[in-house]
């Protein structure tokens, strides 16, 4: 007789893969996904937990008394949410520190069900993103009029990006449209001769499209030995950058701006 029944091991396996899925979907690096998934399984009584990651899937195996259960799940890209990642880590720390194992699986499952997934309102995010783009323009020598145009361009672009993402548009199409709108608004400084340097407005308006977090994660994955998923994330990042370039060029071609740049 095994100390843990097959049904109970199934529940633990589903809980571990759920943990890994959430971590991958909300921006955690591969080493964190594997480490926390394994720690959760061990804290719930497994002898061993093996985890394999791909760019859009996770495969996890739990081993208990020479009995293995393996499951595979597809991942869905979500917006980066560091607060959610911290909550998951706190749940696992609490599970590891629990001495009384009675109903531990149920309590951990409830904790995952009650994760706070709330995000800031769209209008608030758009305003702060517009302000960050405007600050970048001002620090690069833009006048107050250039800063104001950049603020409007960045705010509208971020609102558009969130709207398209909520309606499940292709991420590359979303970036192209966002870059097009941001560049279109920023390039009005050419036509109306606003400010001291129109190039600053166009360049600063698309600052929100720089995929810094995924790029850092891809490099971290490669350096820590997760080459496959690291390369996949890097290619995805480069495609996002290329999509932004396409949107910018489309706007400049539409407005017939033949010279742009510092």
């Amino acid at each position: 007789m095994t100390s843990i029944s097959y049904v109970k091991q199934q529940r633990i396996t589903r809980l571990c893969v759920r943990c890994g899925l959430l971590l991958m979907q909300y921006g955690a690096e591969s080493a964190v996904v594997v480490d926390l998934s394994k720690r959760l399984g061990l804290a719930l009584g497994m002898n061993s937990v093996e985890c394999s990651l791909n760019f859009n899937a996770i495969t996890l195996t739990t081993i208990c008394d020479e009995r293995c259960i393996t499951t595979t799940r597809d991942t869905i890209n979500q917006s980066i949410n560091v607060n959610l990642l911290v909550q998951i880590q706190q749940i696992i720390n609490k599970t590891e520190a629990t001495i009384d194992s009675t109903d531990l699986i149920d309590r951990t499952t409830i904790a995952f069900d009650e994760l706070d997934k709330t995000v800031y309102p769209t209008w608030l995010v758009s305003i702060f993103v517009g302000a960050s783009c405007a600050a970048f323009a001002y620090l690069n020598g833009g006048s107050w009029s250039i800063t104001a145009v950049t603020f409007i361009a960045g705010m509208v672009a971020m609102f558009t990006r969130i709207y398209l993402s909520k309606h499940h548009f292709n991420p590359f199409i979303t970036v192209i449209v966002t870059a097009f709108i941001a560049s279109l608004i920023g390039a009005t400084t050419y036509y109306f001769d606003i400010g001291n340097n129109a190039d600053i407005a166009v360049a600063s308006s698309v600052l929100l499209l720089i995929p810094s977090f995924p790029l850092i994660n891809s490099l971290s994955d490669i350096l820590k030995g997760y080459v496959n998923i690291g390369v996949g994330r890097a290619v995805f990042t480069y495609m996002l950058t290329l999509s932004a370039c396409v949107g910018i060029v489309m706007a400049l071609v539409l407005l017939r701006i033949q010279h742009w740049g510092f």
Side-chain angles (χ1 to χ4, degrees):
M1 296 293 293
T2 59
S3 57
I4 296 180
S5 66
Y6 181 81
V7 174
K8 189 174 181 180
Q9 186 177 350
Q10 278 186 319
R11 293 184 61 192
I12 295 173
T13 304
R14 294 192 189 103
L15 198 56
C16 291
V17 79
R18 179 183 181 183
C19 172
L21 278 175
L22 288 171
L23 291 169
M24 288 186 66
Q25 289 172 357
Y26 288 97
E29 61 178 281
S30 299
V32 174
V33 175
V34 173
D35 179 61
L36 293 182
S37 299
K38 288 185 175 182
R39 286 171 55 189
L40 179 59
L42 296 176
L44 293 175
M46 295 295 98
N47 298 133
S48 177
V49 177
E50 304 298 332
C51 187
S52 176
L53 304 179
N54 292 316
F55 177 72
N56 57 355
I58 177 173
T59 302
L60 187 137
T61 300
T62 58
I63 303 172
C64 181
D65 296 332
E66 300 183 357
R67 181 180 59 208
C68 302
I69 297 180
T70 301
T71 184
T72 300
R73 297 287 189 276
D74 292 331
T75 63
I76 301 174
N77 290 327
Q78 303 283 354
S79 58
I80 296 170
N81 191 333
V82 179
N83 177 48
L84 193 68
L85 304 182
V86 173
Q87 291 181 63
I88 294 174
Q89 188 169 13
Q90 290 175 342
I91 291 173
I92 295 173
N93 289 339
K94 185 176 180 180
T95 302
E96 290 178 327
T98 301
I99 300 177
D100 183 13
S101 60
T102 305
D103 297 330
L104 183 59
I105 299 176
D106 293 330
R107 282 179 284 167
T108 306
T109 302
I110 293 174
F112 274 96
D113 292 337
E114 295 177 348
L115 283 172
D116 183 12
K117 296 182 181 180
T118 57
V119 295
Y120 292 109
T122 301
W123 63 268
L124 184 62
V125 175
S126 301
I127 289 176
F128 273 90
V129 168
S132 66
C133 293
F136 184 80
Y138 182 76
L139 292 174
N140 278 274
S143 61
W144 284 108
S145 54
I146 290 290
T147 302
V149 173
T150 304
F151 172 77
I152 296 173
M155 182 176 62
V156 174
M158 190 63 194
F159 184 87
T160 303
R161 184 176 189 179
I162 295 175
Y163 177 83
L164 295 177
S165 298
K166 285 184 177 179
H167 287 77
H168 307 290
F169 277 76
N170 182 283
F172 304 121
I173 299 299
T174 299
V175 171
I176 290 175
V177 174
T178 303
F180 176 79
I181 292 176
S183 301
L184 201 64
I185 298 175
T188 57
T189 52
Y190 285 102
Y191 277 84
F192 298 102
D193 195 23
I194 300 174
N196 57 341
N197 193 336
D199 295 332
I200 295 177
V202 178
S204 302
S205 299
V206 295
L207 181 66
L208 61 105
L209 296 175
I210 298 177
S212 55
F213 203 96
L215 185 61
I216 293 173
N217 274 350
S218 66
L219 180 60
S220 176
D221 289 343
I222 293 174
L223 293 177
K224 293 180 180 179
Y226 300 93
V227 179
N228 291 336
I229 189 171
V231 171
R233 284 179 168 178
V235 172
F236 182 77
T237 301
Y238 297 148
M239 288 300 298
L240 290 178
T241 305
L242 179 61
S243 299
C245 294
V246 170
I248 295 171
V249 171
M250 287 173 58
L252 297 180
V253 170
L254 178 64
L255 296 176
R256 297 182 180 180
I257 298 175
Q258 299 179 354
H259 59 87
W260 176 72
F262 297 97

